[in-house]
């Protein structure tokens, strides 16, 4: 990543970081059902479905579609993601995988390392609507059309944007990367060309037309009907690779989640091609070998062990993980024994340099925005969903006349065979581009059960930091016994093997100065300014009353709706 690009990303993404003392997640307690996500109209769309007798999956589909209107930077129909579903008490969770796919014409070397991450060529075949369709067909109760109505209305009549969205739109519109995308400027720019402000109405008539087709004809409108034609035309006009055939061939897949037991709980994570479940499972299995709860959550020993565990798991992620339909994944990554062996390799007094751990990978350098929401209802069903356009506003390509953005997910593949470097670029074979292959993801929608019953749901945006954000929230609950609110508010820690630098969210807080100093004393490099773009909208259960507790992370916007 070049410096200007890195700086741009910092402004685009990290500009919204908030000060720790301001962190006060909004909490809702409810008997019947809860929907927690980044957008108030999005959460309310889901809640409406629950109130009408729909279940968590109906609510999740309505929320995902509504957020494709109200969260333009990450909510989408032009991207993809992962939906974890707990169908009910005692029933095994499933993972609906709707990750984007490389078009048939994609080739391993299609991108030089300095290729732009914007524009038509970096778009993967979108998966969102096939994923939501599959979830609805398998588990939904309400008619599809009803689930799409809020999205149609929000696009047609507009909605009041919140402060976060106003700021985000203003930044992206002014950014040099977006200037050349005329349709983006037309669709998301304010008519009077003034900056957006909280409370302004964003009306999206083209998108309303698109959603009306989806309401009337289902996902087929997008993959085989009129919308497919519009996408193919857009691709041809802009030099992209996606054809009508690519769209017609796209399938969402039902996958077995990654199950990891941890101190009497079962943690279910997203299957490959997300590295989320596998990497988090490996970290939990390593962490089980330490008695962290006997140490303070904020002790240097805890931080040290967590960094070392992250480093080792992210190395294995880089070394082995890719689309399991294309590459063989070593079984040992899921074994407690292997994790124990890795845990034993941790020196409790000092860091292990990342480069010493991976002598087999020659060293020769990911990003924001994504969004996570969680849903649970009184039947014991729950949904944990993360979906994304990859960067905020994806490729910046809006399909002409159709009003929606396309992802830039091809950037999640490894672009150059053999090019693994200290900046974090990975060149291992498992995640190289191949036609029809799905790019490795870090999305980590997670469900935790206790004795087969729903216990919690969490997940986050944040590129490679996602897995560690989800790990932190889960650990704060299961290991340290924090309330869900505190678990979400707590500062986050991140290490991803390379770059060999740890990030601690509250590194600048005076009260953490001794901790920071002691982490450094163990030899770790620690970033001085460490925003981690986590945004973990989570749900738990009040163990005393059995009521659902929704916690909306306030690091961006965020709204927990319940009844
Ligand atoms: O699937 C992935 O791992 C990435 N495309 C996610 C990007 C992301 O989280 C950006 N968010 N802040």
């Amino acid at each position: 990543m070049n410096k200007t690009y890195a700086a741009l990303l910092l402004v685009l993404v990290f500009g919204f970081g908030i000060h720790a003392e301001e962190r006060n997640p909004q909490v809702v307690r409810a008997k019947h059902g809860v929907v927690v996500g980044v957008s108030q109209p999005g959460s309310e769309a889901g809640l409406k479905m629950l109130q009408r007798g729909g279940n968590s999956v109906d609510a999740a589909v309505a929320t995902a579609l509504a957020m494709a209107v109200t969260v333009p930077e990450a909510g989408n129909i032009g991207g993809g993601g992962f939906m974890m579903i707990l169908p009910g008490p005692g029933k095994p969770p499933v993972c609906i995988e709707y990750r984007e796919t490389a078009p048939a014409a994609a080739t391993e070397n299609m991108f030089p390392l300095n290729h732009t991450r914007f524009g038509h060529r970096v778009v993967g075949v979108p998966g969102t609507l096939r994923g939501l369709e599959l979830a609805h067909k398998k588990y939904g109760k309400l008619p599809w059309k009803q689930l799409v109505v809020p999205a149609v209305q929000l696009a047609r009549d507009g909605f009041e944007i919140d402060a976060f969205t106003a700021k985000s739109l203003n930044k992206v519109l002014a950014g040099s990367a977006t200037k050349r995308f005329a349709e983006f400027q037309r669709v998301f720019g304010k008519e009077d060309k003034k900056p957006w402000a909280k409370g302004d109405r964003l009306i999206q008539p083209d998108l309303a037309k698109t959603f009306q087709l989806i309401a009337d004809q289902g996902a087929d409108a997008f993959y085989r009907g009129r919308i497919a034609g519009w996408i193919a035309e857009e691709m041809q006009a802009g030099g992209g690779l996606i054809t009508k055939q690519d769209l017609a061939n796209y399938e969402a897949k039902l996958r077995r989640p990654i199950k990891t037991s941890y101190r009497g709980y079962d943690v279910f994570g997203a299957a490959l091609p997300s590295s989320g479940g596998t990497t988090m499972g490996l970290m939990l299995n390593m962490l089980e070998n330490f008695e962290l709860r006997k140490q303070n959550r904020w002790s240097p020993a805890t931080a040290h062990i967590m960094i070392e565990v992250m480093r080792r798991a992210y190395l294995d992620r880089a070394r082995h993980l890719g689309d399991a339909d294309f590459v063989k994944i070593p079984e040992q990554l899921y074994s407690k024994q292997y994790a124990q062996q890795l845990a034993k390799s941790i020196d409790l007094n000092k860091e292990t340099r990342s480069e010493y751990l991976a002598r087999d990978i020659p060293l020769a350098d990911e990003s924001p925005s994504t969004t996570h929401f969680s849903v649970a209802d009184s039947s014991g069903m729950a949904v944990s969903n993360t979906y994304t356009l990859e960067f905020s506003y994806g490729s910046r390509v809006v399909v002409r006349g159709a009003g929606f953005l396309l992802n830039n997910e091809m950037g999640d593949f490894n672009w150059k065979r053999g090019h693994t470097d200290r900046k974090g670029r990975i060149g291992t074979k498992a995640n190289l581009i191949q036609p029809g292959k799905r790019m490795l993801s870090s999305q980590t929608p997670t469900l935790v059960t206790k004795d087969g019953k729903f216990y919690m749901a969490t997940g986050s945006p944040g590129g490679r930091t996602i897995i560690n954000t989800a790990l932190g929230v889960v650990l704060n609950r299961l290991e340290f016994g924090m309330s869900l609110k505190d678990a979400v508010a707590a500062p986050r820690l991140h290490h991803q093997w390379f770059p060999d630098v740890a990030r601690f969210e509250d590194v600048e807080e005076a009260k953490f100065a001794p901790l920071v100093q002691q982490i450094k004393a163990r030899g770790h490099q620690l970033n001085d300014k460490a925003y981690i773009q986590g945004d973990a909208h989570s749900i738990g259960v009040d163990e005393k009353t059995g009521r659902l507790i929704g916690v909306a992370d306030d690091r961006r916007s965020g709204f927990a709706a319940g009844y």
Side-chain angles (χ1 to χ4, degrees):
M1 198 182 317
N2 69 37
K3 277 198 187 129
T4 329
Y5 185 54
L8 174 74
L9 280 177
L10 277 171
V11 174
L12 278 175
V13 181
F14 303 145
F16 307 116
I18 62 165
H19 216 250
E21 274 137 313
E22 297 163 41
R23 248 179 250 138
N24 184 21
Q26 177 233 346
V27 175
V28 72
R29 285 168 202 276
K31 193 170 163 194
H32 303 288
V34 173
V35 185
V36 195
V38 74
S39 147
Q40 180 163 353
S43 298
E44 287 170 346
L47 182 69
K48 216 181 280 171
M49 301 306 145
L50 293 175
Q51 287 167 329
R52 283 190 195 149
N55 60 24
S56 292
V57 168
D58 293 309
V61 171
T63 295
L65 294 171
M67 283 172 57
V69 179
T70 62
V71 190
E73 68 161 71
N76 68 81
I77 51 174
F82 297 83
M83 181 183 283
M84 300 289 301
I85 302 173
L86 172 67
K91 298 190 180 149
V94 298
C95 173
I96 306 251
E97 182 257 293
Y98 56 99
R99 181 69 163 164
E100 298 90 325
T101 297
T107 55
E108 183 180 314
N109 297 313
M110 64 185 282
F111 299 116
L113 279 178
N114 62 357
H115 191 275
T116 170
R117 298 264 177 147
F118 301 107
H120 296 72
R121 277 177 79 79
V122 291
V123 183
V125 183
T128 297
L129 280 164
R130 282 285 184 232
L132 301 181
E133 175 190 54
L134 178 58
H136 176 253
K137 276 198 177 139
K138 221 173 141 42
Y139 298 104
K141 276 167 62 183
L142 298 177
W144 170 260
K145 200 167 184 162
Q146 261 193 51
L147 309 182
V148 193
V149 167
V152 175
Q153 287 170 342
L154 285 160
R156 186 192 58 208
D157 306 336
F159 64 99
E160 285 187 9
I161 60 170
D162 54 35
F164 177 82
T165 305
K167 217 165 159 179
S168 160
L169 279 169
N170 291 336
K171 286 206 168 163
V172 72
L173 287 160
S176 56
T178 323
K179 285 275 180 260
R180 70 184 167 97
F181 295 100
E183 186 70 352
F184 188 103
Q185 296 285 348
R186 184 182 74 79
V187 168
F188 294 112
K190 232 170 119 170
E191 242 172 315
D192 58 9
K193 307 273 177 231
K194 293 206 174 110
W196 289 100
K198 175 177 182 248
D200 284 348
R201 271 194 114 62
L202 177 60
I203 301 177
Q204 302 172 76
D206 292 346
L207 189 57
K209 177 182 71 185
T210 296
F211 270 114
Q212 191 61 56
L213 284 169
I214 293 166
D216 296 337
Q217 298 168 15
D220 275 355
F222 189 98
Y223 290 95
R224 293 172 182 272
R226 281 193 33 210
I227 307 169
W230 296 338
I231 298 172
E233 275 167 31
E234 179 65 52
M235 283 289 136
Q236 263 192 334
L241 300 185
I242 298 175
T243 61
K244 274 186 168 172
Q245 199 56 48
D246 285 318
L247 291 159
N249 288 345
Y250 185 87
E251 281 178 345
K253 303 195 176 174
L254 198 63
R255 303 220 187 241
R256 180 147 18 115
I258 309 300
K259 178 179 173 183
T260 311
S261 64
Y262 190 82
R263 305 220 190 280
Y265 297 85
D266 288 316
V267 180
F268 294 90
L272 288 161
S274 180
S275 62
T278 301
T279 310
M280 178 142 105
L282 182 54
M283 292 196 283
L284 288 171
N285 282 338
M286 276 191 251
L287 288 165
E288 224 177 20
N289 292 283
F290 302 92
E291 298 215 50
L292 293 188
R293 71 177 72 199
K294 290 197 179 149
Q295 297 169 181
N296 181 317
R297 174 69 179 88
W298 310 114
S299 72
T302 300
H304 174 70
I305 289 168
M306 287 182 68
I307 293 171
E308 291 302 318
V309 160
M310 290 169 178
R311 184 198 306 280
R312 283 161 178 76
Y314 273 76
L315 162 58
D316 271 349
R317 173 190 183 278
R319 191 186 257 145
H320 298 297
L321 300 187
D323 183 344
D325 291 345
F326 285 74
V327 291
K328 194 161 164 22
I329 309 297
E331 270 303 310
Q332 67 176 14
L333 297 181
Y334 304 97
S335 100
K336 296 252 181 213
Q337 219 182 342
Y338 173 67
Q340 189 181 35
Q341 210 177 300
L342 286 182
K344 278 195 184 141
S345 76
I346 295 175
D347 178 331
L348 294 177
N349 299 309
K350 79 180 209 314
E351 53 93 54
T352 318
R353 280 280 166 84
S354 286
E355 59 183 279
Y356 297 152
L357 280 178
R359 297 194 189 272
D360 57 324
I361 304 179
L363 294 175
D365 179 39
E366 221 163 282
S367 156
S369 193
T370 300
T371 189
H372 176 83
F373 66 84
S374 302
V375 187
D377 64 44
S378 54
S379 74
M381 186 183 235
V383 172
S384 185
N385 185 86
T386 311
Y387 69 159
T388 188
L389 289 166
E390 160 65 345
F391 282 10
S392 296
Y393 306 94
S395 62
R396 309 290 155 86
V397 176
V398 175
V399 176
R400 248 157 283 190
F404 65 90
L405 273 161
L406 291 167
N407 67 82
N408 61 337
E409 219 74 57
M410 291 294 285
D412 275 357
F413 276 117
N414 296 347
W415 280 11
K416 191 168 175 195
R417 190 186 276 265
H419 185 100
T420 301
D421 62 26
R422 289 172 180 78
K423 291 186 198 141
R425 248 200 253 254
I426 299 169
T428 50
K429 198 169 153 223
N431 188 36
L432 293 171
I433 304 176
Q434 279 179 259
K437 188 174 173 185
R438 300 185 179 194
M439 56 295 281
L440 188 67
S441 171
S442 298
Q443 292 167 75
T444 313
T446 303
L447 288 169
V448 180
T449 61
K450 172 103 177 124
D451 304 324
K453 288 198 207 120
F454 174 68
Y455 184 75
M456 72 184 272
T458 193
S460 176
R464 262 180 247 185
T465 68
I466 294 175
I467 314 171
N468 288 330
T469 294
L471 173 78
V473 178
V474 167
L475 216 56
N476 290 342
R477 282 292 288 147
L478 307 193
E479 180 75 30
F480 295 102
M482 288 185 193
S483 71
L484 189 64
K485 183 178 180 189
D486 289 349
V488 169
R492 291 165 186 158
L493 185 66
H494 175 71
H495 194 289
Q496 58 174 50
W497 179 50
F498 278 116
D500 192 350
V501 180
R503 291 191 230 162
F504 176 56
E505 203 176 18
D506 286 356
V507 69
E508 293 170 87
E509 297 286 317
K511 69 174 177 193
F512 285 117
L515 172 64
V516 165
Q517 189 267 324
Q518 290 187 60
I519 293 174
K520 287 183 176 166
R522 282 170 163 79
H524 299 285
Q525 277 196 65
L526 198 59
N527 203 323
D528 291 333
K529 283 206 179 342
Y531 296 115
I532 295 171
Q533 317 109 65
D535 192 35
H537 303 290
S538 307
I539 302 180
V541 182
D542 183 321
E543 273 150 298
K544 285 194 203 102
T545 62
R547 287 197 164 214
L548 296 164
I549 307 173
V551 176
D553 199 331
D554 62 348
R555 285 165 171 88
R556 300 185 184 197
S557 47
F559 190 76
Y563 85 112

